[in-house]
Amino acid sequence: MSGVWGWFGGGASRRENNPKNAILALRSQLEMLQKRERHLQNQIDEQDALARKNVNTNKNAAKAALKRKKGHEHSLEQTMGQIGTLEQQINAIESANINRETLAAMEKAGEAMKQIHGKLTPEKVDETMAKLQEQNALSEEIVDAMNSINIGNQVDEQDLEDELEALQQEELDQKMLETGTVPADAIQRMPAAANGELNKGKQVAVEDDEEEELRKLQAEMMPNM
């Protein structure tokens, strides 16, 4: 039963840790082989030194040392081959594990993006933007309508014009009383009706002057007749 529960309960965890456990085991074996490599190299060096020492004095000992040296060199070649194989396996598993973890991270990112977007679609975005534009337009209309309302009493523009003309006429009359003449700039500012009456008055004054000149001329001519 414990094996069954271990399969269902802890199997996923063990499968997830399998690459890491494999890498740890390979590294442990690699470390052991590297120690063996160093040991074999030391043995080779010792047998080489022993053969050199006895090469002239004890040929049998020298040959035995060389024989052992050859054996150690063969073992060293095998060990170095195993080390190279383990290193390749470690690199391959590490690369595969990195690829797997990268893919898992990308899958989680995809799920996160899916949750963020939810039911969001381009059509819903367009619909929302259209609603926002509609509400903004409505807001503008409301503001324009509120600004068009004049608070307070309405003032008739024609009444203002009439009152302005009356003030201009009063000012003109006052200047005429004070100086006896009408300033040219005042004539330009006068309303059309007032300006017409002034021209009419000037014409009457000119006619009176002409009548006076005619009477004087007639009086001068009487004795000659």
Side-chain angles (χ1 to χ4, degrees):
M1 291 295 290
S2 60
V4 174
W5 286 111
W7 172 260
F8 285 103
S13 177
R14 280 199 301 271
R15 286 194 299 271
E16 183 177 352
N17 292 327
N18 277 343
K20 295 180 180 179
N21 293 333
I23 292 173
L24 291 175
L26 289 172
R27 287 192 179 280
S28 177
Q29 184 66 19
L30 178 63
E31 183 178 356
M32 187 271 293
L33 290 174
Q34 290 172 341
K35 289 181 179 179
R36 177 174 172 78
E37 178 187 18
R38 292 191 294 271
H39 173 72
L40 289 172
Q41 187 62 52
N42 291 333
Q43 292 294 319
I44 291 171
D45 294 339
E46 289 179 1
Q47 296 304 317
D48 182 74
L50 183 60
R52 290 175 183 276
K53 179 181 178 181
N54 296 316
V55 66
N56 293 321
T57 59
N58 191 346
K59 291 184 178 181
N60 291 331
K63 285 181 180 181
L66 289 175
K67 186 177 181 179
R68 288 191 295 272
K69 175 185 175 183
K70 291 293 183 181
H72 293 323
E73 287 177 343
H74 179 68
S75 297
L76 179 61
E77 289 178 1
Q78 292 179 336
T79 301
M80 292 178 65
Q82 293 172 350
I83 290 174
T85 301
L86 287 180
E87 289 176 342
Q88 290 177 356
Q89 288 296 317
I90 291 173
N91 290 333
I93 293 175
E94 286 179 341
S95 297
N97 191 45
I98 290 174
N99 292 336
R100 188 197 67 169
E101 292 179 354
T102 301
L103 180 59
M106 294 175 66
E107 289 176 349
K108 290 181 180 179
E111 291 295 328
M113 292 290 290
K114 184 177 180 180
Q115 292 179 1
I116 292 171
H117 287 153
K119 297 181 179 180
L120 187 63
T121 62
E123 291 77 12
K124 289 189 176 182
V125 172
D126 292 338
E127 181 181 355
T128 301
M129 296 304 297
K131 289 180 180 179
L132 287 174
Q133 292 177 355
E134 181 180 353
Q135 293 302 316
N136 289 334
L138 178 61
S139 177
E140 291 290 337
E141 292 178 3
I142 292 173
V143 172
D144 293 341
M146 294 178 65
N147 291 335
S148 64
I149 299 175
N150 292 325
I151 300 175
N153 297 328
Q154 297 287 337
V155 178
D156 190 353
E157 292 293 332
Q158 188 58 44
D159 291 342
L160 293 177
E161 292 291 338
D162 294 341
E163 186 175 353
L164 179 61
E165 291 180 2
L167 291 176
Q168 291 175 341
Q169 186 62 42
E170 290 180 5
E171 182 181 359
L172 178 60
D173 294 342
Q174 183 65 30
K175 288 185 177 181
M176 289 176 63
L177 292 174
E178 293 176 355
T179 62
T181 60
V182 180
D185 60 342
I187 295 176
Q188 297 295 331
R189 298 195 308 270
M190 288 175 59
N195 203 353
E197 292 178 0
L198 178 61
N199 291 333
K200 183 178 179 181
K202 290 174 65 179
Q203 184 177 359
V204 171
V206 171
E207 291 176 356
D208 291 341
D209 292 341
E210 291 177 352
E211 290 291 335
E212 181 65 25
E213 289 291 333
L214 181 60
R215 286 194 297 271
K216 288 181 179 180
L217 182 60
Q218 288 175 348
E220 291 176 356
M221 295 177 62
M222 286 295 296
N224 294 330
M225 294 178 61

